[in-house]
Amino acid sequence: MLKFIPRHEFETLANQHHQGRKLRKMSRWSQFVALGLGQLSGRSSLRDIVTNVSAQASKLYHLGASTVSRSSLARVNEQQPHTLYEALFGKLLARCQGLAPKHGFRFKNKLYSLDASTIDLCLDVFPWATFRSTKGAIKLHVGLDHSGYLPTFMTVTDGKAHDVTVGRTLKLPKQSIVVFDRGYTDCKWYNLLDNNDIFFVTRQKSNATFDVIERRSVTKKSGLTSDQTIKIKGSKAADCPIALRRIGFRDPGTGKHYVFLTNNFKLAASTIANIYKSRWQIELFFKWIKQNLKIKTFLGTSKNAVLTQVWIAVCMYLLLAYIKFCNKLNSSLQQILRLLQLNLFERRGLVDLLRGDPPKPLDPQLQTQLQFT
């Protein structure tokens, strides 16, 4: 698996993101191997990771890594910048994007879902993670590319950061479509997205005031209830002077009624509704990384140690996605992870393992060549 990360590229990043004196007892690569092993195998503590790495000491040489002590690993997690793994995330993302399958819609525009997820922390243990008077938290802000469901945009903030504040900082490509929930409601941002030639799809708040400029007929059999052109009125009118499209949709399964807002007037109303429905993929992304990777319990208490663990976790997610895309596997990421957990140090081909092929027997001639006469 580690062959997918060029060692020379990693060392270049490690030198760029180094702080203080040269490391003597361990390297950043050994840190990455140890914490990556902890993510993939579900280890829950530094002692647990160190014990499992030591158990594989004879196999670490071929990985270019070495055994680590608990104190050394804790010190490097706390002192060496987490930005190394943020930069590695960018490298892995670029590779994944070149192999990722397209989204399932007919239009060619890039499609992104935008959302944030809060990870609760104990304020007494993590005093830097201020959220509320008695609670601590950090927040993961993610822009999920629907081509391969990759976290193309990601940042980590304290729990107080508002979703739309981070959303405004994203630099989305022109003609792309971004979908988000009502937590990102901001008329000024709507206008800014439209000025930057970016389409958005969101839900309208129930207390919004507007004037209907035009009504279009809809096919009610498909669940659509309305398709209108509106303009915001009231105190927010000056913030969003552009015309918006308002689409009503009733879910045939649950009977719940939804009202969507968008600045895209070309796509069919049913497509707009399906675009918002696809936003559920980012909820599944957060659910997956919280259930399958270690980002809810942390190995260190400093901010740098926490961010190091989070960025290595998403690097492991991209590594699994890259393996899936490279080999065109039909298995889910969870199935791939579960299979790898029991075979991380097995000496067999990765592709054969993931495709369920039986292990190839060793050539007896190669064995006899290693024997001394």
Side-chain angles (χ1 to χ4, degrees):
M1 290 179 63
L2 294 178
K3 287 183 178 179
F4 295 111
I5 302 175
R7 184 66 184 277
H8 70 278
E9 192 174 88
F10 183 93
E11 294 299 337
T12 300
L13 293 176
N15 291 331
Q16 293 173 355
H17 300 272
H18 180 78
Q19 183 175 311
R21 296 181 179 179
K22 183 179 179 180
L23 299 176
R24 293 184 300 171
K25 294 186 177 180
M26 66 175 295
S27 64
R28 298 302 296 276
W29 178 253
S30 295
Q31 178 197 25
F32 177 68
V33 171
L35 295 183
L37 171 66
Q39 290 289 344
L40 294 176
S41 58
R43 302 301 95 195
S44 58
S45 67
L46 280 177
R47 190 183 299 277
D48 196 4
I49 290 174
V50 169
T51 302
N52 279 270
V53 170
S54 299
Q56 304 293 340
S58 62
K59 301 176 182 178
L60 293 178
Y61 173 80
H62 300 284
L63 300 179
S66 60
T67 56
V68 296
S69 67
R70 187 166 62 92
S71 59
S72 295
L73 185 57
R75 183 172 60 254
V76 172
N77 290 348
E78 182 177 352
Q79 297 178 357
Q80 290 303 315
H82 70 274
T83 52
L84 163 61
Y85 301 109
E86 189 174 351
L88 180 63
F89 169 84
K91 296 287 186 179
L92 290 172
L93 177 63
R95 292 196 182 94
C96 289
Q97 287 174 327
L99 299 171
K102 305 298 181 183
H103 58 67
F105 292 94
R106 292 184 178 181
F107 55 80
K108 296 182 179 180
N109 309 64
K110 294 290 292 182
L111 177 61
Y112 301 95
S113 286
L114 186 61
D115 205 353
S117 181
T118 301
I119 299 175
D120 293 330
L121 299 173
C122 176
L123 194 58
D124 292 336
V125 180
F126 303 89
W128 50 267
T130 55
F131 181 40
R132 294 175 183 165
S133 58
T134 58
K135 292 182 66 176
I138 58 173
K139 188 178 285 189
L140 272 62
H141 303 265
V142 172
L144 190 74
D145 188 346
H146 284 239
S147 296
Y149 302 120
L150 299 173
T152 303
F153 308 101
M154 178 170 164
T155 186
V156 185
T157 66
D158 59 58
K160 288 184 176 180
H162 199 282
D163 297 355
V164 73
T165 303
V166 177
R168 292 195 200 100
T169 65
L170 297 182
K171 295 182 180 180
L172 298 165
K174 291 184 179 298
Q175 290 291 306
S176 60
I177 301 173
V178 57
V179 53
F180 42 82
D181 61 15
R182 287 178 289 192
Y184 291 84
T185 299
D186 184 356
C187 290
K188 287 184 178 180
W189 191 39
Y190 295 168
N191 189 51
L192 180 62
L193 289 173
D194 190 75
N195 290 338
N196 291 332
D197 199 19
I198 298 169
F199 301 112
F200 64 86
V201 177
T202 187
R203 287 180 64 186
Q204 185 183 41
K205 285 193 171 183
S206 57
N207 61 352
T209 57
F210 56 91
D211 290 322
V212 178
I213 300 174
E214 181 184 356
R215 289 182 171 87
R216 288 173 288 275
S217 60
V218 296
T219 304
K220 295 192 175 181
K221 291 183 179 179
S222 61
L224 296 170
T225 59
S226 62
D227 185 359
Q228 306 166 339
T229 300
I230 67 167
K231 291 199 74 173
I232 303 295
K233 71 175 185 178
S235 59
K236 302 295 183 181
D239 295 336
C240 187
I242 61 173
L244 297 177
R245 188 179 181 187
R246 181 178 182 270
I247 296 171
F249 176 80
R250 189 173 299 278
D251 189 331
T254 63
K256 188 174 180 179
H257 189 257
Y258 299 89
V259 179
F260 307 119
L261 285 182
T262 181
N263 60 337
N264 191 309
F265 289 84
K266 294 183 179 180
L267 295 177
S270 58
T271 302
I272 299 296
N274 288 329
I275 286 174
Y276 191 86
K277 184 178 180 180
S278 70
R279 194 198 70 85
W280 186 247
Q281 291 297 331
I282 196 168
E283 302 289 353
L284 296 179
F285 168 79
F286 284 127
K287 180 180 179 181
W288 193 95
I289 62 173
K290 286 184 175 181
Q291 288 183 344
N292 296 283
L293 299 175
K294 291 294 181 181
I295 64 167
K296 294 176 68 177
T297 56
F298 293 96
L299 306 174
T301 59
S302 68
K303 184 176 182 179
N304 189 73
V306 169
L307 293 180
T308 294
Q309 187 172 332
V310 170
W311 283 108
I312 288 181
V314 292
C315 283
M316 291 298 108
Y317 176 89
L318 291 181
L319 189 58
L320 293 173
Y322 186 76
I323 292 171
K324 176 180 172 68
F325 298 157
C326 276
N327 299 287
K328 299 181 179 179
L329 301 173
N330 294 323
S331 305
S332 67
L333 290 184
Q334 187 175 43
Q335 290 172 326
I336 295 173
L337 178 61
R338 292 289 179 262
L339 186 60
L340 290 174
Q341 283 179 338
L342 299 177
N343 298 275
L344 280 175
F345 286 93
E346 288 292 323
R347 295 182 181 273
R348 59 178 300 189
L350 179 61
V351 177
D352 294 339
L353 173 67
L354 295 177
R355 290 181 176 173
D357 297 335
K360 297 177 182 178
L362 295 175
D363 189 346
Q365 293 184 354
L366 295 177
Q367 293 293 321
T368 56
Q369 290 176 5
L370 295 176
Q371 296 178 359
F372 293 98
T373 57

